[in-house]
Amino acid sequence: MPLENYGVLAGTLHRHFRDRPDDQGRWFHVHLEVDTPAGRYECAVDVDSKKSAIGVQWKVFTLYPSVLEPVDAPDPGYHDLARASGSGAIDYLRHPALADRRGCLFVRRPPQWLRQVLDRFDPPRPWTEGSHLEASAALEPILVPGRQVLVFGEPFDEGLGMHNIHQNQGDPAGSQWWEENGIWQDGATMTRRPDGLYDVFLSRFSTQQAPTDENGHPLQDGSQH
């Protein structure tokens, strides 16, 4: 089954900090403290493991607020989102502003001249792969205290907080996260710049695959990216 709850937290970024460099848990996070009318939320952004062989991949880019409607400027606080297109939910593979649309247009790699045209009007956003420290360093420049922030993911069962702030689909059969696969429930961190645009950080684990079916499970002929 997909995540039990899914939504977006809107607020003001107070500060961020990394997990301590010790044996605190298996997974390494960058923590965001976000102020809302209900109180200060702690948001744990996964940036991979200190102990496992699972790698992390990430993207950092900028979006116009209009592409995030209807959650481009929500009231401060947590908001549940329906796992469906048009609700404001995030899906790395299906959201018009996030998906690699070229993969939907071409079965084979387009010719060089056409790639150059596409790159001009729709620059590619390749995934970067590296260590949890490199992923943390890529995220932190957009974490400016005082900025408005949108955090997509799953709220804590108890207390004010968010987790599962990463891709939440494409985990392979046999993994402990298979049952949590689902579409339109991916996590993201976005902070609003002074010019009104959003800086965006997306992350996923190297074992997660694409494309996925309507349940968020990897397709049989899917390839790992």
Side-chain angles (χ1 to χ4, degrees):
M1 62 180 296
L3 301 180
E4 291 186 10
N5 298 287
Y6 175 75
V8 61
L9 175 71
T12 302
L13 183 63
H14 173 66
R15 68 166 186 145
H16 76 274
F17 59 94
R18 298 183 186 184
D19 278 340
R20 295 189 298 272
D22 54 19
D23 292 331
Q24 178 185 18
R26 181 181 180 189
W27 303 102
F28 194 88
H29 305 88
V30 174
H31 298 265
L32 283 59
E33 293 184 351
V34 178
D35 288 331
T36 76
R40 182 166 291 166
Y41 276 72
E42 181 174 330
C43 305
V45 182
D46 295 82
V47 285
D48 199 36
S49 167
K50 298 175 287 184
K51 297 182 178 179
S52 82
I54 296 176
V56 66
Q57 301 173 348
W58 65 88
K59 295 182 181 184
V60 182
F61 54 92
T62 302
L63 288 178
Y64 285 95
S66 59
V67 304
L68 300 172
E69 292 179 351
V71 295
D72 52 310
D75 293 334
Y78 173 76
H79 306 270
D80 281 314
L81 295 176
R83 297 178 182 85
S85 175
S87 70
I90 294 295
D91 188 307
Y92 293 2
L93 309 180
R94 296 169 178 83
H95 194 289
L98 305 180
D100 184 358
R101 292 179 291 281
R102 300 176 203 181
C104 301
L105 294 173
F106 302 100
V107 176
R108 297 182 179 178
R109 185 177 178 86
Q112 178 65 27
W113 68 268
L114 184 52
R115 292 204 306 271
Q116 292 175 346
V117 173
L118 292 171
D119 288 349
R120 180 177 179 181
F121 292 99
D122 183 18
R125 300 181 184 132
W127 290 96
T128 300
E129 185 166 2
S131 70
H132 64 278
L133 295 177
E134 292 169 320
S136 300
L139 166 61
E140 288 172 329
I142 76 170
L143 302 180
V144 180
R147 276 192 181 185
Q148 293 177 307
V149 60
L150 300 178
V151 181
F152 296 81
E154 184 176 29
F156 289 171
D157 292 334
E158 298 182 4
L160 300 180
M162 299 279 287
H163 65 142
N164 281 326
I165 308 170
H166 52 73
Q167 180 171 306
N168 292 303
Q169 61 180 309
D171 282 296
S175 78
Q176 67 186 89
W177 303 284
W178 167 267
E179 294 185 354
E180 293 187 350
N181 279 336
I183 63 174
W184 294 104
Q185 61 166 21
D186 288 332
T189 304
M190 307 184 184
T191 65
R192 194 157 192 169
R193 305 178 346 177
D195 61 7
L197 303 181
Y198 276 103
D199 286 328
V200 179
F201 179 87
L202 308 181
S203 62
R204 68 182 186 184
F205 302 116
S206 61
T207 51
Q208 292 176 317
Q209 301 175 11
T212 61
D213 62 20
E214 62 182 8
N215 295 312
H217 298 317
L219 293 174
Q220 292 298 320
D221 59 350
S223 59
Q224 184 171 315
H225 295 279

